[in-house]
Amino acid sequence: CERVMAGSPLLAVVALLLAVAHVAQGSHPPSSPRTLGEGAPPLTHYQDVVDRILNYSLANSTSWEELAVLTDTFGSRFTGSQALEDAIQWILRRMREDGLENVKGEPAMVAHWTRGPEKLTMLRPRMADLQVLGVGATVPTPPGGITADVVVVGDMDELKGLPRQTVQGKIVLFDAPWTSYGETVLYRVSGAVEAAKCGAVASLYRSVTPFSTYQTHTGSAYYEDGVTKIPHAAVTVEDSAMLHRLYKRGVRITVHLTMNSTQGPDVTSHNVIAEWRGHEKPDEIVVLSGHIDSWDVGTGAMDDGGGAFVSWEALRVLKALGLRARRTIRVVMWTNEECGARGGKQYAVDHALEMPKHSLVVESDMGAFYPMGIGFTGSAAAKTIIQQVASLLGRVNATTVMDGAEGVDISVCCVNDKFKVPGASPLTNDRGRYFWYHHSRADTIDKLDPQEMRMVTGVMAALGFVVADLPDLLPRQCVPPL
C-alpha cells in the first residue's frame, strides 16, 4: 500500500501562501504544503532557498580542495589498512572542527586481504613482462608461481564449449571486449569459478574498461563452495588483445604467473557519521552518503572520495547558511564498500529500529561529475515528490529524474525489500570516462573537476534539505513490522 499525505487542497494553498510570506520576510526556512500528490501546488516556495544553497555551493564549496588533501596525505584507503583508519580519524577530527553534530565512527568488522608482489611474464613465443593486477581477495599462486600455457576465449560460452583436456592445467584468459559494465564485469566477478570448473589452474581477464592506456583494473570477485579456488587477475586491454591474436594464429603461449597475496583475520573499521540535527523532528532522518574506502591502487579520488566529500560538504553548506530542516540530515561515509559492503550491512543492524524513520537515503558513487538530475528508487508517490524537488535545480540544469538509485551501500542497508526506504543518487555526466579510470592506478584527484564537485555538492545539499524539511516522510510501500 501507499502512504497518502494528509490535508485538503484548500489547506495546502493556505500553507503555501504562508510559506511564501515567511520567505519574503527572510525568516525561518519555508514550510511546505501538507498535500504533495497529484494536483497539489508544486514545491516552488523552496525555490529561493534552493537557489541560495546552489549559489553558495558554487561560490564557496571546498570539497575538491579538501579531497585533494585527503588523497595526497593518505593515498589509497583499502579495507583493513591502517591508511583507511588514519584517514577516517582525520575526517572525524575535521568534522568536529566544522561544528557538525553527533560525529562518530561506528565500528564494522571487515576482511583484511593484502596484495603482495605480482608478476606475469610471457615465456613463449617471446620474453615479455606484462602488467598484471589481482582481483580483491584472490588466492595466491603456489610458492614459486605457476608456469602454464594460455587458452584464450572471447566469452563464457566459448570456454564451456571447449573439451576439458584443452583447458586442464592451463591458464584461461577471458578476452571479452567492453559492451557495458554490467555485462563485461561478469568475467572479473565469476571468471575464476568458471575457469576452475573446466580444470584451469589460474585465470586472467581483460580489464573492464572501454578505453585503455595500458592500465590494469581490479575489483571484487567471488569463489564458489566446492570449486577449486584459483588465482584470478587483470591484464591490460592491449596485452589481452595481443595474446588473443597470437592464440588465433595457432601460436603456443606460455606464461609464468606469481601472486603473493595474504588473507588475515577480520579487523575493525568504521563508518563515519555526522549530523545536522532537525529543529522539529530530529529523530527522523535523511541520509547523504558515499564510501570512504578505495582500492589499493590509485588514491580513490573518483571512486568514491568525491561522493563521500560532496556529502560532507553539503552539511557544511547548510550550516554556513544557517539552514536547519525539520528532520536530521545525516552524512554517512561507508567503509568496506569495495570488498563486501560490510559497512552498509552493519548500518542496517545498528540502525534497524530507526529504519521506519528514514525518509530518504542518498548515495553518490558514480563520480562527482557534472550533475544532470536524480536517480530514484521508491514508490510512485515518492517519485512524484522527487520530481518536484528536481524541478528546483534548474540553476545547475539537474532537473532530470530517472528510475534507479545507484549505490551498493544503500541497497544492502535499506533500499531493499526488507525496509523499502526510498533511495536516490545524483545522475552525473562523466563524458564516458568514469570506467577509463575505475579501480585502477589512474583514479586520482585530477580526474575530478572542482566546479563540477561544487555543483554536485549543491545538488546533494538542496535535495537533502528539501526532503528533510517536508511535513511528512516520503511515502513508501508498506513493510511488515520489525
Side-chain angles (χ1 to χ4, degrees), residues 92-355:
L92 291 171
R93 287 195 300 271
R94 295 296 301 270
M95 285 178 161
R96 293 185 182 107
E97 292 169 1
D98 288 341
L100 301 182
E101 298 159 336
N102 293 340
V103 176
K104 58 185 174 179
E106 294 187 341
M109 298 302 294
V110 301
H112 187 201
W113 175 87
T114 304
R115 186 187 306 280
E118 299 171 328
K119 188 172 184 180
L120 178 64
T121 302
M122 184 166 65
L123 306 176
R124 186 185 289 118
R126 59 184 171 87
M127 291 289 296
D129 287 332
L130 310 179
Q131 288 282 350
V132 67
L133 186 63
V135 298
T138 180
V139 296
T141 58
I146 296 172
T147 299
D149 288 353
V150 177
V151 174
V152 186
V153 297
D155 56 37
M156 292 292 187
D157 289 339
E158 185 178 352
L159 172 66
K160 294 174 182 178
L162 293 175
R164 186 173 180 85
Q165 61 267 28
T166 300
V167 181
Q168 187 75 41
K170 307 293 199 314
I171 294 175
V172 169
L173 166 61
F174 295 98
D175 181 43
W178 172 274
T179 53
S180 68
Y181 184 71
E183 291 182 357
T184 314
V185 76
L186 295 177
Y187 296 94
R188 187 195 80 204
V189 172
S190 59
V193 171
E194 298 305 322
K197 288 178 179 177
C198 296
V201 294
S203 53
L204 304 169
Y205 67 94
R206 173 176 172 149
S207 285
V208 184
T209 180
F211 177 78
S212 179
T213 54
Y214 206 69
Q215 287 286 343
T216 44
H217 297 244
T218 188
S220 293
Y222 81 94
Y223 291 109
E224 187 175 300
D225 291 342
V227 178
T228 302
K229 296 180 179 180
I230 61 174
H232 189 43
V235 296
T236 66
V237 168
E238 294 87 343
D239 284 340
S240 184
M242 176 268 294
L243 292 170
H244 204 170
R245 291 192 300 271
L246 289 171
Y247 189 78
K248 286 179 176 179
R249 296 178 194 135
V251 176
R252 182 182 177 188
I253 306 166
T254 306
V255 300
H256 182 76
L257 174 66
T258 303
M259 299 172 67
N260 293 284
S261 60
T262 57
Q263 184 73 56
D266 288 357
V267 297
T268 302
S269 187
H270 300 83
N271 289 325
V272 174
I273 307 288
E275 294 179 340
W276 191 232
R277 299 286 286 171
H279 68 83
E280 181 181 310
K281 301 178 179 182
D283 59 332
E284 296 181 357
I285 300 155
V286 168
V287 169
L288 305 179
S289 70
H291 68 84
I292 191 56
D293 66 307
S294 73
W295 281 101
D296 57 333
V297 293
T299 59
M302 185 186 71
D303 183 18
D304 180 36
F309 273 52
V310 295
S311 301
W312 174 12
E313 185 75 358
L315 255 62
R316 296 169 64 174
V317 168
L318 297 178
K319 181 177 184 294
L321 292 172
L323 293 173
R324 281 193 188 268
R326 283 186 169 96
R327 289 172 193 81
T328 293
I329 303 176
R330 174 183 292 168
V331 165
V332 182
M333 294 186 184
W334 314 99
T335 192
N336 189 239
E337 187 272 351
E338 298 290 7
C339 302
R342 292 198 197 175
K345 294 171 184 176
Q346 188 61 48
Y347 183 91
V349 173
D350 294 344
H351 298 272
L353 295 180
E354 287 183 336
M355 287 301 171

